[in-house]
Amino acid sequence: MDERKGIITSAAEGTRGILEPFWVTLRQLFHKPITEEYPEFKRALPERARGRIVLTRSPDGEERCVACQLCSAVCPVSCISMQSAVREDGRRYAGWFRINFGRCIFCGLCEEACPTLAIQLTNDFEMSADDPMQLVHEKDTLTVDHGGRHPDYDFYRHAGVAVRREPGSHEDEDAPVNPKSNFP
Amino acid sequence: MSLTQALFYLLAGVITLSTGMAVTRKQPVHAVVYLVVSFFATAVLFALLGAPLVAVLQIMIPAGAVMVLFLFIIILLGREAPKPRDDSAMRWALPGILAIITVAAGLMLIASPQHQTIPLAMAKASARELGTYLYRHYWPAVEGISVLFFVALAGAMFLVREFKPKPDAQNEEPKP
Amino acid sequence: MTMWFAGFAVLLVKMALVLGVALTGAAYLVLVERKLLGRMQLRYGPNRVGPFGLLQPLADGVKMILKEDLVPQGADRFLFMMVPAVLPLTTLLAFAVVPFGTELTIMGQQVPMVITDLDVGVLFVLSLSSVGVYSLALGGWASNSKYSLLGAVRGVGQMISYELPLGLSLVPVIMLAGSMSLVDIVNAQADMPFIVYQPVAYVLFVLSALVEVKRTPFDLAEAENELQAGFHMEYSGMRFALFFLGEYLNMIFLGAFAALLFLGGWHGPVLPPFAWLLIKTAIMPILLIWIRASLPRLRPDQMMRLCWVWLAPLALLNILATGAVMLLKG
Ligand code: SF4
Ligand code: SF4
């Protein structure tokens, strides 16, 4: 009780404080709910919303992933596992690649770590399943046939498999320095 | 044996068993639970013997209020691992003697001939009769108890007043 | 012997009726609460299973049964598994003394519309309500978790506080009716429900009942935002559902109890007695839901203060006043 007010005033205010919420809730009862009903109404997601993870392909249709294990190493919940393999032409790829979406927290760190822009998060978040094992996805369900967010990027034109290319032939690569000459 | 009799002996068995369990449990909460079971059986026994009011009061006061308070205190005191029991003979001597006396007295009661003729049958005493009887014959005691309760209530209210936190500098809400 | 069997059959039918109505009522009360709360919070509430979500209770039941039944490590297994049954059990037992209509005459036999008309009906109900708290106290203790334990301690403290005003608020009604049998009490209200004579007792009863059902603003024992879920935090699946069922059965029961004691039971014009009782029973649960939507939770000490300093003395004064008036009028 506040001393500055009389007992009558504070009692009246207290009673009002108890009764007013009832009026408020009663009023809401006759309002139209503001709920957006999900399966019928889907909100547009922000462009960078993080959902299902996919493995993308470079413009020439090859798998981008070079099984460098960086995504697996950075993943805070360790839900990515893979085995690396090497093709005859020296290009590395993932023999098998597994993501356990039951554990994934969709933090996007794997996407940040990936040097080849292979692993990417998409806007699709509707991936519930009856059985936890159905949330473990293998390479065949992870791989898509497009380049995802960066359709034009091709890792092998920037780096990798150096022995098969002339020095300095990668994109954005400076011409090799001539060790025989000191002149710039 | 009539149904009433069968029920009586069944309930007596339950009461004896659960009270025994209550005495021997190491975990106090289990003891309380067994005691409550025993109280319940006692209440049913009262109902069987024609005292529904006493039966209901038996559930309400000992089982419903007193044992809940016990439980409250036991829970508040914390859950400790029960200590290993001290099995020395001296510790058992006194309870043993008491138990023997009780059993002997019970045996004598059962053996005494005049009790064999009491029939176990359903009876009924209404709350009104009980109340009238109580107030006609024991009204000073009832009034005394009610005065005691009143004093206890007043005391409790006084205690509540005393423990009101005094308004001091830290406790006060910042004035706008 | 045929008479005995007929009586037994009638008893079974009555029990089935009461159990069916009470349990269906509890299941649908959950739906009503979710719907009503939803609308009060500008949501729809469940509307997916069946038309308007009417099959939601069934879906909930199936879900609860299929859930894994977890027993936490370190829990007191036996008690943990037993106690969820206590609350629905005591509440369902209390329904045994609820009369739901006037006596019917079937084949020349008077059949009272109540499972058993105890002459200490009101006390029977009070004693069962005081036993129901065991499920909470023991469940919280047996879970061996600090939140559950705190919830249990709070729940017991709450129970000690509400019992006295709850019991005392009913005394004037018993005095007016001159009986503790619920049938007699309803019959005594044939021309005027007791709420007219005893508005104070009704308010006291509703407040104490609010404390008894342990719902907002007195849901101290489960206080979601301080104690997660309090005493039933460690329970899952059907055992949790039993606690839930007990709570909703209790709401319905208190509705019926208030209807019988204060609102005139099955007496009413035009409609059949059973319908009147159902309507009057529904008042209390809906009031409780409305209160839940509107008021914040009290602190434990505020709850105790309310019960001991306001409700209990007020109930005593009410008894005194009722007695004085009855004495003067003779
Ligand atoms: S989004 Fe995060 S949690 Fe999921 S796989 Fe990538 S790094 Fe792991
Ligand atoms: S970081 Fe990229 S390239 Fe490396 S293993 Fe993961 S997905 Fe493949």
Side-chain angles (χ1 to χ4, degrees), chain B residues 135 146 153, chain C residues 126 163-176 197-202 204 262 310-328:
Chain B
Y135 272 93
S146 70
L153 191 69
Chain C
L126 287 180
E163 272 237 298
L164 190 63
L166 185 70
L168 289 179
S169 70
L170 300 183
V171 174
V173 172
I174 298 170
M175 285 160 72
L176 284 181
Y197 303 123
Q198 290 292 342
V200 181
Y202 182 68
L204 288 174
F262 291 101
W310 296 105
L311 298 188
L314 217 63
L316 280 176
L317 283 181
N318 194 26
I319 294 174
L320 210 65
T322 313
V325 170
M326 281 177 73
L327 202 65
L328 286 181

Side-chain angles (χ1 to χ4, degrees), chain A residues 25 28 32 34 37 40, chain C residues 40 42 44 47-48 290 294:
Chain A
T25 42
Q28 306 304 330
K32 190 176 159 43
I34 54 172
E37 297 201 75
E40 293 93 50
Chain C
M40 285 178 175
L42 293 180
Y44 283 107
N47 60 357
R48 291 288 159 188
W290 194 9
S294 308

Side-chain angles (χ1 to χ4, degrees), chain B residues 5-148:
Chain B
Q5 258 172 326
L7 275 175
F8 175 83
Y9 286 114
L10 191 72
L11 286 169
V14 170
I15 294 171
T16 321
L17 199 73
S18 55
T19 315
M21 292 295 263
V23 176
T24 50
R25 287 310 87 189
K26 289 188 220 163
Q27 177 62 262
V29 174
H30 291 177
V32 167
V33 174
Y34 276 115
L35 206 53
V36 170
V37 172
S38 148
F39 283 160
F40 262 90
T42 320
V44 180
L45 201 59
F46 279 138
L48 194 68
L49 295 180
L53 184 70
V54 184
V56 169
L57 289 182
Q58 167 81 7
I59 296 180
M60 200 160 139
I61 294 158
V66 177
M67 290 325 280
V68 169
L69 269 178
F70 275 29
L71 201 62
F72 184 63
I73 290 163
I74 291 169
I75 289 177
L76 267 189
L77 289 184
R79 184 183 192 178
E80 284 158 28
K83 292 193 199 77
R85 205 177 292 173
D86 163 22
D87 274 332
S88 62
M90 275 319 287
R91 199 168 167 278
W92 288 101
L94 199 59
I97 292 168
L98 284 178
I100 289 170
I101 293 174
T102 320
V103 170
L107 283 179
M108 273 158 71
L109 266 182
I110 292 172
S112 62
Q114 67 267 40
H115 285 282
Q116 278 168 352
T117 51
I118 290 186
L120 272 177
M122 293 287 266
K124 201 155 192 185
S126 76
R128 188 188 297 273
E129 281 160 33
L130 190 79
T132 321
Y133 183 81
L134 214 59
Y135 272 93
R136 193 151 293 155
H137 298 268
Y138 296 102
W139 67 266
V142 175
E143 286 306 316
I145 290 169
S146 70
V147 167
L148 256 180

Side-chain angles (χ1 to χ4, degrees), chain C residues 70-322:
Chain C
L70 293 167
V71 179
Q73 204 179 21
D76 192 307
R77 273 192 86 86
F78 182 71
L79 275 183
F80 185 85
M81 299 182 50
M82 287 301 290
V83 288
V86 174
L87 193 57
L89 185 80
T90 51
T91 320
L92 283 177
L93 266 179
F95 274 103
V97 294
V98 170
F100 43 88
T102 39
E103 284 194 346
L104 282 187
T105 315
I106 301 171
M107 291 185 296
Q109 289 292 317
Q110 293 282 322
V111 180
M113 285 291 108
V114 53
I115 293 176
T116 164
D117 178 21
L118 276 187
D119 59 356
V120 287
V122 176
L123 281 183
F124 177 74
V125 167
L126 287 180
S127 70
L128 283 175
S129 96
S130 68
V131 167
V133 75
Y134 277 111
S135 84
L136 180 157
L138 291 174
W141 179 83
S143 305
N144 198 16
S145 135
K146 53 176 172 271
Y147 293 121
S148 306
L149 193 71
L150 280 173
V153 169
R154 279 191 186 185
V156 174
Q158 190 167 335
M159 176 261 169
I160 296 167
S161 313
Y162 78 69
E163 272 237 298
L164 190 63
L166 185 70
L168 289 179
S169 70
L170 300 183
V171 174
V173 172
I174 298 170
M175 285 160 72
L176 284 181
S179 165
M180 283 191 281
S181 145
L182 286 168
V183 177
D184 292 350
I185 290 179
V186 175
N187 283 333
Q189 305 176 60
D191 32 60
M192 190 64 93
F194 281 159
I195 186 173
V196 180
Y197 303 123
Q198 290 292 342
V200 181
Y202 182 68
V203 170
L204 288 174
F205 174 77
V206 169
L207 278 176
S208 327
L210 201 60
V211 186
E212 178 182 353
V213 284
K214 300 189 182 55
R215 293 166 53 83
T216 339
F218 300 105
D219 58 342
L220 304 165
E222 41 180 296
E224 284 88 354
N225 23 19
E226 312 147 39
L227 301 180
Q228 323 309 341
F231 64 98
H232 60 54
M233 177 183 148
E234 302 289 350
Y235 282 93
S236 61
M238 218 43 212
R239 291 184 206 280
F240 162 75
L242 281 178
F243 276 121
F244 214 65
L245 181 71
E247 179 181 329
Y248 283 82
L249 278 176
N250 208 355
M251 278 165 78
I252 296 181
F253 176 73
L254 285 170
F257 203 40
L260 293 172
L261 290 178
F262 291 101
L263 306 181
W266 61 78
H267 292 299
V270 188
L271 291 174
F274 193 58
W276 267 115
L277 188 63
L278 277 187
I279 292 171
K280 288 174 180 171
T281 301
I283 294 176
M284 180 81 123
I286 288 178
L287 191 67
L288 288 177
I289 294 169
W290 194 9
I291 290 174
R292 173 171 174 188
S294 308
L295 294 182
R297 180 179 309 123
L298 261 62
R299 282 200 316 262
D301 64 318
Q302 290 169 330
M303 182 272 298
M304 298 237 178
R305 175 176 293 271
L306 177 75
C307 286
W308 287 106
V309 180
W310 296 105
L311 298 188
L314 217 63
L316 280 176
L317 283 181
N318 194 26
I319 294 174
L320 210 65
T322 313

Side-chain angles (χ1 to χ4, degrees), chain A residues 55 64-72 82 97 110 113-116 118-119:
Chain A
L55 290 174
R64 274 175 173 164
C65 176
V66 294
C68 67
Q69 312 273 1
L70 282 175
C71 53
S72 172
M82 74 196 77
F97 194 103
C110 47
C114 181
T116 66
I119 194 164

